[in-house]
Amino acid sequence: YMDVSGTAATASQISQLGVDWVKIDVSWADIETLQGEFDYTALDATVQSLDALGVDILLTVYEAPAWSRENYVLNQLLQLNSGPPEDFANFGLFMTNIATRYNGVVDAYEIWKSPNLLRYWTVPKYTNPPELLDTGDYGVPDEIQIGAIYYVDLLEIGYNAVKAADSNALVITAGLAPVGSSDNYNFIATGTFLNNMLLLGGANYSDAVGAIFGASAVPPTALCCNQPPGVDSHYESFLQYFLEILDFYNDIMARNDVDDMPIIITQVGWGTTEGGILAAPSAGFEWL
């Protein structure tokens, strides 16, 4: 994460870890607050410090700026404003700008973050202008335009923009949140989204398929689905197992004749506690 005040310390820690790749989350909304005006101050400092270490750099680009989309409060807890722009061409212009700026420095671009979640792909559509309720929320939309059919269009534009600006940079599909079912509003199952993305030609607009392993308390070496020692929940689904997720992705890719493409893990982590000395996790994170 970008923190200009801590760039040197972070670079030192990365050097000690001896890793080959570093990923940076890049909010488009933070860089292009006003259309056509770009502020790369924080990202420049971070990229330069990483480039000096000789590590490969992956930028995960997501979150369209407010000027490019309608923003709604769909519930009292969350301002859902992390969706794509209304005109995907604006995303293409931004990707052209950022890939040109970091030509030969940034090695890969991940196009968006978890587009199978409403949290990151918020596109509410109303037949009539939405009513602002007393709670400060807008009423329930007629639909949420979430799904691979929308994402692939954004992926294609992002891919073409990056390749035109820096043909050597890799373009990676967005890592998908590990989800086992779909309500086509809040979330879409990982397998459903991935399969539909490939059916719609997503492999034509990427060099690799992104994957996420997270929201799990299971060690990454474990296999589904025996309860690991000390793990009380979030071990019941194969999606909570690192090796099982990779097999799952590979099976779907094989069915779509693209199993020769690499799978790149763009986010990995699992929750642990040691010795019972940590405070109880907050609501929603009990599995930690």
Side-chain angles (χ1 to χ4, degrees), residues 44-211:
D44 277 350
T46 306
V47 167
Q48 288 165 9
S49 67
L50 296 176
D51 187 47
L53 296 177
V55 298
D56 291 328
I57 301 170
L58 164 67
L59 301 186
T60 298
V61 183
Y62 72 109
E63 193 171 37
W67 57 261
S68 72
R69 52 178 277 111
E70 292 283 354
N71 291 279
Y72 299 102
V73 179
L74 299 184
N75 62 60
Q76 296 182 52
L77 299 177
L78 189 61
Q79 172 75 50
L80 294 170
N81 57 4
S82 189
E86 292 179 12
D87 183 352
F88 286 3
N90 286 320
F91 179 69
L93 293 173
F94 179 72
M95 293 309 300
T96 296
N97 188 278
I98 195 172
T100 300
R101 186 178 190 87
Y102 297 122
N103 185 318
V105 177
V106 167
D107 302 277
Y109 296 87
E110 181 181 13
I111 306 299
W112 223 256
K113 174 187 285 195
S114 298
N116 61 325
L117 295 182
L118 174 69
R119 177 178 178 181
Y120 296 112
W121 193 275
T122 315
V123 188
K125 293 298 179 181
Y126 295 87
T127 302
N128 299 306
E131 179 183 359
L132 183 61
L133 307 178
D134 293 339
T135 59
D137 300 347
Y138 287 91
V140 177
D142 299 290
E143 66 170 325
I144 292 288
Q145 289 188 346
I146 187 173
I149 192 171
Y150 305 107
Y151 172 71
V152 169
D153 287 343
L154 186 80
L155 176 65
E156 179 181 2
I157 287 173
Y159 176 87
N160 290 335
V162 169
K163 291 298 184 180
D166 184 356
S167 60
N168 292 320
L170 298 176
V171 175
I172 305 168
T173 67
L176 302 175
V179 179
S181 60
S182 303
D183 69 0
N184 296 313
Y185 184 98
N186 294 289
F187 46 81
I188 294 177
T190 308
T192 299
F193 196 103
L194 176 60
N195 187 65
N196 288 341
M197 181 183 73
L198 296 175
L199 285 173
L200 291 164
N204 297 324
Y205 313 117
S206 56
D207 299 300
V209 171

Side-chain angles (χ1 to χ4, degrees), residues 214-245:
S216 173
V218 178
T221 54
L223 295 175
C224 187
C225 287
N226 295 321
Q227 184 174 8
V231 177
D232 295 327
S233 68
H234 287 65
Y235 64 87
E236 301 89 347
S237 168
F238 74 92
L239 287 168
Q240 291 153 350
Y241 293 77
F242 180 65
L243 300 174
E244 307 280 0
I245 286 181

Side-chain angles (χ1 to χ4, degrees), residues 1-13 49:
Y1 299 96
M2 290 184 290
D3 176 10
V4 174
S5 64
T7 296
T10 300
S12 174
Q13 292 171 338
S49 67

